[in-house]
Amino acid sequence: MLRLQIIIVSTRPGRKGPAVATWFEQRARAHGAFEVEVVDLAEVGLPLLDEPEHPRLRKYQHDHTKRWSAIVERGDAYVFVTPEYNFAAPPSLLNAIDYLYTEWSEKPAAFVSYGGVSAGLRGVQMAKQTLTSVGVMPIVASVAIPMFASRIDADGTFASDAKLDAAAAAMLTDLARWATALAGMRAGRG
């Protein structure tokens, strides 16, 4: 079975990404197309890129990079649960992408974005450009959650609705098709 990594992007104190990710993880497990793994960039704890060699060489010097490499390597598809910061992709996401190169190659990615009126979509557009430079195929299907804070209750639980659940299911179906096709491409290169 293909492995989907749900990557929680926000790392700052008071973040709401884990609540959104918990909802999406439940949707992904119910969908059934993937083995699901949740990866929290706050727990990964990458400092600002500090490797002396270019990532394509895979001559990693630091344990945090070696751990991050192993995590990304085992994924077949990614869903980034992300806000946008100042109309852009969060620095934690761009830094995490830039740490590696070949581990990302020929794998699909999708987004669950959240924010105010724009639902984080401007940050997603920026992140897609960066992902393509490391060989990731960002798919069109996504889940965009506007005014997301109004969906989180006092206990920190995200409240979905039928529209968001349907968007998640459609995105997961599309992501599974891409993951299957790209797994065949990766198998053919080796």
Side-chain angles (χ1 to χ4, degrees):
M1 182 173 273
L2 296 168
R3 181 185 296 252
L4 170 64
Q5 292 180 333
I6 299 169
I7 300 176
I8 303 170
V9 170
S10 180
T11 60
R12 67 189 201 184
R15 65 200 174 122
K16 304 300 183 200
V20 177
T22 296
W23 160 75
F24 184 74
E25 177 188 5
Q26 293 166 352
R27 303 307 323 145
R29 290 188 190 284
H31 186 272
F34 294 100
E35 176 185 335
V36 177
E37 176 184 9
V38 176
V39 178
D40 187 341
L41 289 182
E43 292 175 9
V44 173
L46 294 171
L48 189 59
L49 183 58
D50 64 351
E51 287 290 338
E53 301 282 345
H54 191 284
R56 70 180 157 71
L57 301 174
R58 295 184 82 164
K59 294 182 179 178
Y60 304 131
Q61 303 297 311
H62 303 293
D63 287 340
H64 55 260
T65 310
K66 293 173 186 175
R67 284 190 302 273
W68 181 230
S69 172
I71 290 168
V72 173
E73 183 75 34
R74 69 179 174 248
D76 294 299
Y78 311 99
V79 170
F80 297 99
V81 177
T82 185
E84 69 179 31
Y85 293 166
N86 300 321
F87 303 94
S92 57
L93 175 56
L94 299 177
N95 188 51
I97 294 166
D98 287 343
Y99 255 91
L100 308 174
Y101 188 80
T102 58
E103 296 89 338
W104 296 112
S105 187
E106 296 177 341
K107 298 177 184 178
F111 291 85
V112 173
S113 63
Y114 57 94
V117 172
S118 72
L121 291 172
R122 296 170 294 207
V124 167
Q125 287 306 111
M126 180 186 210
K128 284 181 175 183
Q129 292 176 354
T130 303
L131 285 168
T132 60
S133 71
V134 294
V136 172
M137 178 62 207
I139 69 169
V140 173
S142 66
V143 178
I145 307 167
M147 310 310 253
F148 80 100
S150 66
R151 295 181 168 276
I152 298 176
D153 67 18
D155 295 328
T157 302
F158 178 80
S160 183
D161 60 25
K163 187 176 178 180
L164 289 175
D165 289 346
M171 183 182 77
L172 286 160
T173 297
D174 200 27
L175 190 62
R177 284 194 297 260
W178 277 100
T180 299
L182 292 173
M185 286 179 62
R186 290 193 312 277
R189 72 176 172 196

